[in-house]
Amino acid sequence: MFYSVRARLTLWYTGILALVLVTFSGISYVLLVREIRASSDAALASTAHEFTAAFRADPSNGHSRDIALDFRYSDRDILVLTADGEIIASSHSQLTERDRQRIAENVRGGLTGYTTLPGGRDADGVRVFSTPMNVLGMTYIVVAARNLHEQTERFESVGRALFLAIPLALIVAAGGGYLMARKSLAPVATMSLKARHIGAETLTERITVSNRNDELGVLAATLNDLLERLQRAFESQRGFMADASHELRTPLAIIQGEADVVLSRYDRTAAEYRESIAIIQTAARKLTRIVESLFLLARSDAGRYPITRTRFYLDEMLADSVKAMRSVAAARNVDLAYTSPPELMIEGDEALLHRMTLNLIDNALKFTPAGGKVRVDVQPFDDHYLIRVIDTGIGVTEGDRSRIFERFYRGERVRSLRGTSSAVSTGAGLGLPIARWIAEAHGGEL
């Protein structure tokens, strides 16, 4: 069965309070009964001893009844008995004749100290304290007795009070607990309602934080931070899709345009066909690179790109990367140099690291003017290697340094060079983001 949080909190609160109240009331009742009985027993003993002292002061048997009558109490009785159980004196007793006979029978049986004589069906019994007394060579038994009816009524009254007070207290506590839980959880309901109305188009909205210092305020602030991250992710995703669409549209438009030109005329020469096919091939290759890069980034974002780690020589891998880019450097009249210590063993995905270095070298060659230099070197340290790609190109402005690893981003200087250099115009802005992911996937940084 479903219960709301308010109901569960109220039930838990009421249950714990009921356990505390019942335990406390039970212990208090037991202690009260023990205290009343101990006080009653002490009063009986005190009465018996006081009577014994007075009886010894006037040992005349003729006056024993008068002495007993002087010790009349509203709740206690005094009886003086011989050793044979004959009652020779007693106060104005509230005891029944049957109680007196039972006391006499117990005295004949050697009754001393405290004892409780059980009552009948409707009686509550009698509490008795007896002590021997020697006077002029005669042995008497002094008995102080109390009917337990009043004491029993007191215990029952306390029990009824607890029986009524505990449920009443629990009802009041449950109502108060429910109201407190409802008031305490009201901000949660407000936050839930607000969060339910926030969608992809309303991610700019935020949950109101009433008190940042309590737990609910922290929860609201945490949800707002989550919404902030979601908003940035949505905006980044939208920008990514827009940039990707733009980058894909250019080579597709080139392919479509060249195909339309080729099909529009039937008298084209073989050289013209070859030129159009070469243009289509170049655009298709760019389109393939963009799609492969997007696929790689998508799999890396999802954490599903397989990284195959092997042990290989880093210096040899870097030498292969530089060798692969020498023809590109020569075509752009850029001096490409490489220096490295030998036999630098490393463990990682050789294909990914090779792609990373190719991207970095290609990026350096793109933005280095003719006659410039690009140098690649590696320096070993205790637990890592430092790979540097240094060029004499246009550099990166201070404002672009925090954004050059964003996908499809091109700095102000790069945008100003587009159209003036075929090298610059062929870039899609994905090389550095991929290189950075590869470095981070191997525990490094770029």
Side-chain angles (χ1 to χ4, degrees):
M1 184 179 294
F2 173 76
Y3 294 100
S4 65
V5 175
R6 291 192 297 267
R8 290 199 297 269
L9 287 176
T10 303
L11 289 176
W12 272 104
Y13 171 75
T14 306
I16 294 174
L17 182 60
L19 178 62
V20 171
L21 286 178
V22 170
T23 303
F24 176 77
S25 300
I27 294 174
S28 299
Y29 183 81
V30 171
L31 294 177
L32 177 64
V33 169
R34 290 179 60 182
E35 181 64 25
I36 291 176
R37 286 177 176 174
S39 177
S40 177
D41 289 347
L44 290 176
S46 175
T47 301
H49 292 314
E50 289 177 4
F51 177 82
T52 300
F55 193 90
R56 285 174 177 171
D58 186 3
S60 173
N61 290 337
H63 297 287
S64 60
R65 184 173 298 276
D66 295 334
I67 297 173
L69 290 173
D70 290 339
F71 280 83
R72 286 179 296 179
Y73 295 91
S74 61
D75 58 345
R76 280 162 281 173
D77 295 296
I78 294 293
L79 292 85
V80 181
L81 299 88
T82 64
D84 295 332
E86 180 184 357
I87 299 175
I88 62 173
S90 66
S91 63
H92 182 71
S93 177
Q94 296 181 356
L95 301 175
T96 63
E97 187 60 30
R98 184 173 179 274
D99 292 334
R100 294 161 64 88
Q101 291 176 2
R102 286 192 299 168
I103 291 173
E105 291 174 1
N106 279 275
V107 169
R108 284 193 294 272
L111 173 67
T112 56
Y114 294 102
T115 187
T116 301
L117 303 178
R121 178 177 298 177
D122 299 327
D124 298 302
V126 179
R127 184 66 170 171
V128 173
F129 176 78
S130 57
T131 181
M133 177 179 62
N134 294 318
V135 177
L136 300 176
M138 295 291 293
T139 299
Y140 300 94
I141 305 298
V142 177
V143 176
R146 167 181 284 171
N147 193 298
L148 295 178
H149 177 71
E150 181 182 353
Q151 192 176 101
T152 301
E153 283 189 341
R154 187 182 301 177
F155 293 156
E156 291 177 353
S157 177
V158 173
R160 285 193 298 269
L162 293 177
F163 183 77
L164 295 175
I166 291 177
L168 181 61
L170 290 178
I171 293 173
V172 174
Y178 183 82
L179 292 177
M180 290 177 60
R182 183 176 180 179
K183 184 176 181 180
S184 299
L185 295 176
V188 177
T190 303
M191 285 188 285
S192 300
L193 183 63
K194 182 68 175 179
R196 191 178 296 116
H197 289 85
I198 295 177
E201 302 301 326
T202 57
L203 280 176
T204 55
E205 298 183 15
R206 294 295 180 265
I207 297 172
T208 303
V209 181
S210 57
N211 184 2
R212 292 184 175 272
N213 297 322
D214 61 10
E215 290 81 357
L216 295 180
V218 173
L219 175 61
T222 302
L223 290 176
N224 285 337
D225 291 341
L226 175 61
L227 291 173
E228 183 71 26
R229 292 194 297 272
L230 286 175
Q231 181 184 358
R232 290 198 299 267
F234 266 84
E235 292 175 353
S236 176
Q237 188 72 13
R238 287 169 177 168
F240 177 76
M241 294 299 296
D243 292 336
S245 301
H246 177 75
E247 292 296 331
L248 293 174
R249 183 176 59 186
T250 301
L252 287 174
I254 294 174
I255 294 173
Q256 182 67 43
E258 286 298 321
D260 291 341
V261 170
V262 171
L263 295 175
S264 64
R265 292 172 51 189
Y266 297 96
D267 57 347
R268 297 177 65 87
T269 63
E272 291 176 331
Y273 278 114
R274 290 183 62 85
E275 182 181 359
S276 295
I277 293 174
I279 294 174
I280 293 175
Q281 183 184 46
T282 302
R285 285 176 177 173
K286 179 178 181 180
L287 183 62
T288 301
R289 287 196 301 271
I290 294 175
V291 172
E292 289 178 349
S293 298
L294 290 175
F295 183 65
L296 173 62
L297 290 173
R299 296 184 68 184
S300 66
D301 290 341
R304 291 183 295 184
Y305 191 91
I307 297 179
T308 305
R309 295 182 179 274
T310 59
R311 294 180 63 83
F312 62 94
Y313 288 103
L314 178 62
D315 55 301
E316 294 181 359
M317 186 273 292
L318 287 173
D320 292 340
S321 299
V322 172
K323 186 182 301 183
M325 298 300 295
R326 288 198 185 279
S327 59
V328 177
R332 296 173 183 172
N333 193 22
V334 176
D335 181 26
L336 178 59
Y338 167 65
T339 58
S340 170
E343 298 184 354
L344 301 180
M345 183 63 69
I346 190 175
E347 181 175 336
D349 192 313
E350 185 173 3
L352 285 179
L353 292 175
H354 182 68
R355 180 167 186 170
M356 179 190 72
T357 54
L358 285 178
N359 285 356
L360 295 177
I361 296 172
D362 180 64
N363 190 75
L365 293 173
K366 284 180 183 178
F367 304 109
T368 300
K373 297 180 179 180
V374 174
R375 179 165 59 89
V376 180
D377 64 31
V378 57
Q379 300 176 8
F381 290 89
D382 294 336
D383 57 349
H384 66 279
Y385 296 105
L386 174 63
I387 302 173
R388 298 191 302 173
V389 180
I390 307 169
D391 63 68
T392 59
I394 61 176
V396 182
T397 63
E398 188 69 28
D400 289 336
R401 289 184 182 180
S402 60
R403 302 193 61 189
I404 58 174
F405 295 105
E406 295 180 10
R407 298 166 188 181
F408 299 108
Y409 178 76
R410 297 179 181 86
E412 187 65 32
R413 294 180 180 178
V414 177
R415 289 192 294 270
S416 65
L417 292 176
R418 283 183 67 92
T420 63
S421 171
S422 59
V424 176
S425 62
T426 56
L430 296 175
L432 288 181
I434 292 176
R436 189 179 204 181
W437 169 76
I438 294 174
E440 292 176 349
H442 286 79
E445 59 181 347
L446 180 59

